[in-house]
């Protein structure tokens, strides 16, 4: 059971908007620690998608955006494309556990 | 281009030891903190250990006392010495570079991973 909770799966048709939630607590997201998002395509290593709440590394399309409120965070994908089919993980630091924590991951399926 | 290449994975018996290596290139290695993150199909991604630029070390509760992280800046290399291995340590182990903005850290580059299998 992960410290950060994500839905196991979300799906959407091409062009639609989907969101992935990441629920934490007062010792991680709620403590002001930044939330990062990673995309993992099948058979590859995770790749940084969003850092420090809503900053995209160079090369990441602006279809991806992040937000944070209270003890939760969200990743939104607008204009869903077939190439977005992947697993997505949120990540933050936890003060109580003194370590970096990942969510359980969400599989995005493009219908 | 940043490149991280892990090696040293393999099959080991329960209670045994293994040493993972990560060869870094394409950036100034001694200016970045480095981490090990592992992944299983059942538990997903799990942060294992990290080492700062000053050599300060950090461990997850699940490996503290059994694993040891180190770095050799002259060799642009990161290591993970794993002792007293358990079946639950079976995973793909990734080497990851850590960068930060406003004191908030993230893993901005990852290796391709090396598989560690602990047999019982």
């Amino acid at each position: 059971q992960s410290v950060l909770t994500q839905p196991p799966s979300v799906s959407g048709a091409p062009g639609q908007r989907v969101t992935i939630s990441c629920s934490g607590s007062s010792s991680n997201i709620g403590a002001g620690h930044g939330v990062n998002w990673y995309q993992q395509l099948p058979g590859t290593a995770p790749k940084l998608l969003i850092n420090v709440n809503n900053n995209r590394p160079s090369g990441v399309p602006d279809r991806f955006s992040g937000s944070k409120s209270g003890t939760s965070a969200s990743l939104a994908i607008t204009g869903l494309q077939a190439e977005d089919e992947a697993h997505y993980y949120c990540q933050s630091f936890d003060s109580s556990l003194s370590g970096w924590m990942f969510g359980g991951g969400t599989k995005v399926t493009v219908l | 281009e940043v490149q991280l290449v892990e090696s040293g994975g393999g099959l080991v018996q329960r209670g045994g030891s293994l040493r993972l290596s990560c060869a870094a290139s394409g950036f100034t290695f001694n200016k970045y903190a480095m981490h090990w993150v592992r992944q299983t199909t059942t538990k997903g991604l799990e942060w294992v250990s990290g080492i700062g630029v000053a050599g300060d070390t950090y461990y997850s509760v699940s490996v503290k006392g059994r694993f040891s992280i180190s770095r050799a800046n002259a060799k642009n290399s990161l290591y993970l010495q794993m002792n007293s291995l358990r079946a639950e340590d079976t995973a793909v182990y990734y080497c990851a570079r850590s960068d930060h903005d406003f004191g908030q850290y993230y893993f901005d580059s990852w290796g391709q991973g090396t598989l560690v299998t602990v047999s019982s």
Side-chain angles (χ1 to χ4, degrees):
Chain A
Q1 192 169 353
S2 302
V3 170
L4 303 176
T5 302
Q6 299 179 233
S9 63
V10 299
S11 61
Q16 282 190 329
R17 179 179 187 270
V18 297
T19 61
I20 300 170
S21 60
C22 175
S23 178
S25 69
S26 58
S27 62
N28 41 68
I29 300 173
H33 295 297
V35 178
N36 306 306
W37 290 91
Y38 301 86
Q39 177 192 60
Q40 187 173 31
L41 298 170
T44 68
K47 166 192 160 186
L48 180 65
L49 196 66
I50 301 280
N51 66 22
V52 193
N53 302 328
N54 195 20
N55 295 321
R56 290 181 307 278
S58 174
V60 174
D62 59 6
R63 303 185 290 104
F64 296 92
S65 63
S67 63
K68 186 178 89 162
S69 178
T71 60
S72 295
S74 292
L75 174 72
I77 310 174
T78 57
L80 194 64
Q81 299 184 5
E83 67 212 47
D84 299 332
E85 198 160 274
H87 282 86
Y88 294 83
Y89 297 88
C90 62
Q91 176 253 315
S92 186
F93 184 82
D94 191 282
S95 302
S96 295
L97 297 171
S98 297
W100 287 264
M101 301 295 149
F102 288 89
T106 299
K107 179 173 172 54
V108 169
T109 301
V110 181
L111 300 172
Chain B
E1 179 194 3
V2 174
Q3 280 203 326
L4 300 169
V5 180
E6 303 93 337
S7 61
L11 178 63
V12 61
Q13 285 193 329
R14 185 177 57 186
S17 298
L18 211 56
R19 188 195 196 208
L20 304 184
S21 299
C22 172
S25 61
F27 64 101
T28 306
F29 182 72
N30 61 11
K31 292 191 181 300
Y32 289 86
M34 298 295 296
H35 296 258
W36 290 97
V37 177
R38 66 187 181 186
Q39 184 171 32
T40 64
T41 53
T42 53
K43 295 180 67 177
L45 290 169
E46 179 188 15
W47 172 77
V48 174
S49 180
I51 184 166
V53 295
D56 43 315
T57 59
Y58 308 89
Y59 299 94
S60 70
V61 171
S62 59
V63 307
K64 198 166 188 176
R66 299 188 299 123
F67 290 12
S68 177
I69 190 172
S70 61
R71 64 191 299 161
N73 291 336
K75 296 182 178 180
N76 290 338
S77 293
L78 175 72
Y79 306 100
L80 184 68
Q81 178 66 43
M82 305 186 294
N83 299 329
S84 302
L85 283 162
R86 307 166 179 168
E88 54 264 35
D89 295 319
T90 295
V92 173
Y93 284 73
Y94 293 104
C95 165
R97 187 181 81 167
S98 175
D99 203 348
H100 64 91
D101 285 331
F102 308 107
Q104 306 281 358
Y105 290 83
Y106 48 88
F107 307 125
D108 68 341
S109 294
W110 298 63
Q112 84 290 348
T114 187
L115 176 62
V116 172
T117 303
V118 182
S119 67
S120 52

